[in-house]
Amino acid sequence: MVKSASPPDRYGLLGHPVEHSRSPLIHQLFARQTGQRLTYELIDATPQGFETAVLAFSAAGGKGLNVTVPHKQAAFELAREVSAAASKARAVNTLTFGGKALRGDNTDGTGFLRDVTVNQRQPIAGRSVLILGAGGAARGIMGPLLEAGPRELALANRTSERADQIVKQFRAHGKVTPIPFAHLDTLAPFDIVINATSAGLKGDAAPFPGTLIGPRSFCYDLVYSLNDTPFVIWARNHGAERAVQGWGMLVEQAAESFHIWRGVRPDTAPILKQLVR
Ligand code: NAP
């Protein structure tokens, strides 16, 4: 009798909602490229069901989970040990199970920085940077951005208390200036403008003053879509030198998670090309 091979290792993405996620495709392409045997599934869980879903996946032999909106802070609370990046962000997007251990990492920031500085060839050091938004994604990118040495880092959020909270949280890591949303139209253009809000997700226009953009501005939308996003359209309409979407960050943060889980780093360039084609 031929012995059956052991089942492939199980990974997945846990969020709410998750049905439109590209992560299964990305991880399948990584696995094929690097010769790894694994499955990657989508798990929809509400905030009330988050912990039960994580523990059930682990108990069933799952090896690791990516975590997305709205669970990144809950994942941080649940993890027994966390990486420096997750600790700074107080948010976890990658959980790794090993026996009783439950480790949390945050790969959003490194994925973002890699896309901006390597794929897009945009240096951060010495440049003025504005982040719009103060949710989990903004927190994830803040640490790596500060480490990259911008001349100025400003943060503006519709709900100013959330921006103030982040500024306080990152005080020990560098200077971040909170900007009230209502004062955005009094500022000079920034070298780099990052949209880390979910504004415009439903197709409505980006709610920011065009004066933030100058002819040398590089604009980065964390949001990604098969069509131009409202932020990218807004940035181009106001004369930005370049405006790009967050596909690269999506692939790079996934590659970081894959590396944590499998110990091998996929080559992201062909995967990114295949994804946006
Ligand atoms: P989140 O924690 O829910 O935060 C949402 C943010 O958007 C908050 O700052 C919120 O402001 C702001 N916002 C929502 N609607 C707005 C509006 N109409 N006008 C102005 N601000 C508005 O979400 P998140 O995890 O930070 O994610 C933010 C975006 O980044 C999402 O679209 C997500 O898909 C994207 N993302 C992309 C990647 C990638 O790999 N490319 C990775 C992570 C996240 P308030 O605080 O005032 O509500």
Side-chain angles (χ1 to χ4, degrees), residues 69 133-137 157-159 162 196-199 207 222-224 246 249-250:
V69 180
N157 193 49
R158 182 179 58 179
T159 311
R162 279 183 99 186
T197 75
S198 42
L222 263 61
V223 177
Y224 47 88
M249 174 178 173
L250 178 71

Side-chain angles (χ1 to χ4, degrees), residues 132-146:
L132 298 161
R139 268 208 255 160
I141 66 175
M142 191 73 78
L145 263 175
L146 279 169

Side-chain angles (χ1 to χ4, degrees), residues 67-73 93 108 111-112 115 132-141 156-163 166 181 195-202 204-208 220-224 245-254:
V67 176
T68 189
V69 180
H71 302 310
K72 289 182 189 178
Q73 274 163 269
N93 78 333
D108 279 337
F112 165 79
D115 190 39
L132 298 161
R139 268 208 255 160
I141 66 175
N157 193 49
R158 182 179 58 179
T159 311
S160 57
E161 293 78 15
R162 279 183 99 186
I166 296 193
F181 235 50
N195 178 36
T197 75
S198 42
L201 267 189
K202 295 185 187 105
D204 39 335
F208 315 116
Y220 191 96
D221 194 354
L222 263 61
V223 177
Y224 47 88
Q245 310 186 17
W247 283 106
M249 174 178 173
L250 178 71
V251 173
E252 296 295 349
Q253 60 79 29

Side-chain angles (χ1 to χ4, degrees), residues 85-270:
S87 168
K88 263 186 209 167
R90 309 196 124 267
V92 157
N93 78 333
T94 306
L95 287 169
T96 309
F97 308 113
K100 287 203 166 135
L102 176 52
R103 183 181 160 80
D105 286 273
N106 191 314
T107 66
D108 279 337
T110 22
F112 165 79
L113 202 69
R114 200 177 154 83
D115 190 39
V116 171
T117 59
V118 179
N119 301 342
Q120 309 294 342
R121 296 166 202 251
Q122 291 289 328
I124 304 288
R127 298 175 82 193
S128 61
V129 180
L130 171 67
I131 302 177
L132 298 161
R139 268 208 255 160
I141 66 175
M142 191 73 78
L145 263 175
L146 279 169
E147 276 165 29
R151 185 178 79 241
E152 172 192 0
L153 181 57
L155 177 72
N157 193 49
R158 182 179 58 179
T159 311
S160 57
E161 293 78 15
R162 279 183 99 186
D164 295 344
Q165 217 174 20
I166 296 193
V167 169
K168 224 189 254 172
Q169 183 184 324
F170 280 88
R171 195 168 283 158
H173 305 287
K175 187 169 181 287
V176 186
T177 310
I179 311 281
F181 235 50
H183 294 180
L184 278 175
D185 60 0
T186 65
L187 305 179
F190 285 80
D191 297 327
I192 301 179
V193 181
I194 300 161
N195 178 36
T197 75
S198 42
L201 267 189
K202 295 185 187 105
D204 39 335
F208 315 116
T211 43
L212 295 170
I213 310 285
R216 305 299 305 274
S217 298
F218 170 72
C219 296
Y220 191 96
D221 194 354
L222 263 61
V223 177
Y224 47 88
S225 158
L226 287 176
N227 302 312
D228 284 341
T229 59
F231 177 80
V232 163
I233 294 170
W234 167 83
R236 288 196 188 127
N237 286 346
H238 289 93
E241 187 170 49
R242 279 184 66 214
V244 301
Q245 310 186 17
W247 283 106
M249 174 178 173
L250 178 71
V251 173
E252 296 295 349
Q253 60 79 29
E256 288 290 326
S257 297
F258 193 90
H259 183 236
I260 288 168
W261 291 332
R262 309 301 297 182
V264 48
R265 172 160 250 299
D267 177 8
T268 49

Side-chain angles (χ1 to χ4, degrees), residues 8-9 11 27-39 258-259 261-266:
D9 290 342
Y11 297 90
H27 282 274
Q28 273 156 28
L29 292 172
F30 287 166
R32 196 179 306 158
Q33 185 197 65
T34 58
Q36 303 276 312
R37 278 183 76 238
L38 56 88
T39 62
F258 193 90
H259 183 236
W261 291 332
R262 309 301 297 182
V264 48
R265 172 160 250 299

